[in-house]
Amino acid sequence: MTSRAWAVGTLVVLIVVLAVFAAVSIPWHRPPAPRADQLAALGSLPADKVERGRQFHSDLRPGSYGAMAIGLLVALVLGLTPLGAWLVTQAGRPFGGNWVAQAVLGGLVVVLVGEVVTLPFAAWRHIIVVRYGISTQSWGAWTVDLLKGFAVGAVIGAVALLGFYTITHLAPRWWWAFGAVGAAALVVLLSFVLPVVVEPVFNKFTPMADGPLRVSLLELAERDGVPVRDVLVADASRRTRAVNAYVSGLGPTRRIVVYDTMLTEATPDEVVSVVAHELGHAKDNDVLIGTVLGAFGAAVAVIALFLLGSWGGLLRLAGIDSIGSPRGIGLMLAVVTVVGLLAGPAQAYVSRTIEARADAHALALTGDPATFEAMQRRLGTVNLSDPDPPTWEYVISASHPSTVERMAAARAYARGER
Ligand SMILES: [Zn+2]
C-alpha cells in the first residue's frame, strides 16, 4: 500500500472514531426551553435595555463581518495565487532561502498580513465597545493587549510551523502520520498549559478572598462531588465592565475563574448560580471533551491537507511544488480559514448543547430557578447581550443559548419539565 492509500484509510477511521466519540460525548438532548416562555421572558426585560443590546450588536456587525470577509479574501489571495509563496520566499531570502527561516519567518509574515488588514476592523470594534461603556480600556492598553496577542500567537505559531515543516522535511511521504500525531498532541498540550502560561499574560488571577461567598462556593463544589482546590478571581475590570466566569485547564491545571466584575455587579446568590454552571462543565469534563474533539479534528485536518496536496491544480494556483514545503503556508492558511468558517456553525451548535447541559446542572445543583433567571437577566443586561438574537446569527455563531432561552429553561425547570 502506498502512503496515500494509508492516509485515506487512516482519515476514514479517524472520522468514524470522531463521529462515534461526538455521538456519545455530546449531550444531544437539550432540556426544554419553550418558545412561549422565551417570549414571556423577553417581555419581562426592560424594553430600553433590550433595544440598547440590539443596537449594540447591530453597530458591531459591520466590523465583525467586514473583518471576516476581508480575512477570508486575504487568505484566498495568499493561498490561491503565487503571492503567498512569494512572500515566504522573500522572508527566507536573507537566510539563503533556508527552509527553517522560510517556515518561521514566512509563516509570521503571511499571518501578519492577515492581522494587519483586519486591524482597522478591530479598532472600529474597540471604538464601539468603548462607546457603549463595555470596554474600560484606553487605546494604550488596547494596543498592549493586541501586541501581547501577536506575541503569544507568534510563539505558538512558530513552534507549530517549525515542528510541522521539520516533519515534512524529514519524512516527505509519510509526514501526514507524524503530523497528525503531533497536531493532536499540541492541542492536548495547549489545553493543559494555556491557563497557567497564556491566561496570566493577559490577567492576574488571585484566590477568592476568604469570606462567606468563598465558603459557600467551595461547599457547593464539595456537595457536587467536584474537587476544586480554589476559586480564582480574574482582574477583568481592567479592560471590561462585562461579567463572566469560566472553567479552563485539565487535571492539575483545572480552575474555575470568576471575573472581579461579577463580584461587584451580581449578588452572592447569583455568583453561586454562575459557579454552579461552571461546576457542571467541570463535572461533565467539558474541557476534556472539547480537547479530545479538537485533537481528533487537528489530526483529520493534517491528513486532509496531505491528500489535498496531491491536487495538482491547487498547487499550480499557489505556484508551489508541494503542500509540505514552507512556500505552501499561504495555501495552508487559505484551507484552514475556509474550513474554519464552514465548521463554525457546527462548533457553535455543539457549544450550545454543552452550555445548556451546564445550565441544567446549575438548576439541579442549586434548586433555585428564580436566582438562575435573575442571574441570566443580569448577565444579559450588564453585557449588553441581544436577548433574542436573529436566527441566522444565532445559528452561525452563538456559543451559548440566548438569554431568553436560558430564562425559559429556568421557567420550565421550575414547572418540573426536564
Ligand atoms: Zn458555560
Side-chain angles (χ1 to χ4, degrees):
M1 260 167 84
T2 63
S3 163
R4 189 178 147 75
W6 276 104
V8 172
T10 310
L11 184 67
V12 171
V13 170
L14 279 181
I15 289 174
V16 170
V17 173
L18 181 60
V20 170
F21 179 77
V24 298
S25 65
I26 294 167
W28 300 103
H29 168 75
R30 285 271 285 269
R35 186 63 187 159
D37 287 311
Q38 294 180 27
L39 293 174
L42 185 61
S44 76
L45 295 169
D48 58 326
K49 294 270 164 58
V50 172
E51 189 40 47
R52 194 166 154 76
R54 290 202 163 137
Q55 194 56 49
F56 176 52
H57 285 275
S58 101
D59 287 356
L60 282 177
R61 247 168 236 140
S64 312
Y65 294 107
M68 202 187 274
I70 295 291
L72 175 64
L73 186 69
V74 167
L76 292 178
V77 168
L78 290 177
L80 301 183
T81 73
L83 187 61
W86 181 81
L87 277 177
V88 172
T89 308
Q90 293 307 311
R93 181 151 288 176
F95 304 88
N98 179 287
W99 66 269
V100 174
Q102 284 191 348
V104 175
L105 298 177
L108 291 183
V109 168
V110 166
V111 172
L112 203 61
V113 170
E115 295 287 350
V116 168
V117 292
T118 53
L119 199 56
F121 294 98
W124 181 357
R125 184 188 164 79
H126 179 65
I127 291 172
I128 289 166
V129 291
V130 167
R131 186 192 301 153
Y132 277 86
I134 291 286
S135 173
T136 54
Q137 276 192 308
S138 63
W139 280 107
W142 178 83
T143 308
V144 169
D145 262 8
L146 194 78
L147 294 176
K148 280 181 182 173
F150 284 166
V152 168
V155 171
I156 296 175
V159 169
L161 287 173
L162 194 57
F164 179 70
Y165 290 112
T166 302
I167 292 169
T168 62
H169 192 73
L170 295 177
R173 272 160 29 81
W174 292 91
W175 60 257
W176 60 269
F178 302 103
V181 173
L186 185 66
V187 169
V188 174
L189 178 73
L190 286 178
S191 264
F192 274 103
V193 303
L194 283 182
V196 281
V197 177
V198 175
E199 288 176 19
V201 173
F202 296 92
N203 278 100
K204 253 218 307 281
F205 298 88
T206 41
M208 182 178 279
D210 282 329
L213 181 58
R214 183 188 165 86
V215 171
S216 47
L217 294 180
L218 291 175
E219 269 174 14
L220 186 76
E222 177 96 21
R223 185 151 60 79
D224 200 16
V226 178
V228 171
R229 240 163 304 157
D230 216 343
V231 177
L232 300 176
V233 178
D235 61 343
S237 57
R238 63 205 208 81
R239 66 171 68 85
T240 183
R241 286 199 183 83
V243 296
N244 202 2
Y246 64 89
V247 52
S248 67
L250 284 175
T253 65
R254 182 163 80 191
R255 69 261 320 279
I256 287 177
V257 177
V258 178
Y259 278 21
D260 57 353
T261 45
M262 179 83 102
L263 303 179
T264 48
E265 288 288 337
T267 68
D269 280 351
E270 289 168 7
V271 177
V272 168
S273 198
V274 166
V275 169
H277 167 103
E278 302 307 330
L279 288 171
H281 285 311
K283 186 155 189 167
D284 289 313
N285 289 312
D286 292 340
V287 175
L288 181 64
I289 292 173
T291 303
V292 173
L293 289 173
F296 272 111
V300 165
V302 169
I303 301 177
L305 193 72
F306 172 81
L307 293 172
L308 212 56
S310 52
W311 182 359
L314 206 57
L315 300 187
R316 267 193 300 281
L317 277 179
I320 55 176
D321 308 324
S322 155
I323 204 160
S325 93
R327 282 168 41 84
I329 288 174
L331 180 56
M332 189 158 74
L333 179 75
V335 173
V336 168
T337 305
V338 171
V339 172
L341 284 177
L342 293 177
Q347 269 177 345
Y349 178 83
V350 169
S351 172
R352 288 194 300 273
T353 69
I354 287 176
E355 293 299 338
R357 171 168 71 181
D359 279 352
H361 181 88
L363 288 165
L365 180 61
T366 60
D368 185 359
T371 302
F372 182 90
E373 185 177 333
M375 183 267 291
Q376 292 305 332
R377 184 190 298 259
R378 172 101 56 197
L379 274 176
T381 0
V382 175
N383 296 352
L384 284 184
S385 308
D386 180 344
D388 191 26
T391 307
W392 63 270
E393 192 162 60
Y394 177 86
V395 167
I396 62 172
S397 63
S399 63
H400 287 65
S402 67
T403 300
V404 296
E405 266 186 295
R406 301 177 88 174
M407 291 168 74
R411 292 177 183 206
Y413 177 87
R415 288 195 302 268
E417 295 169 24
R418 301 288 187 272

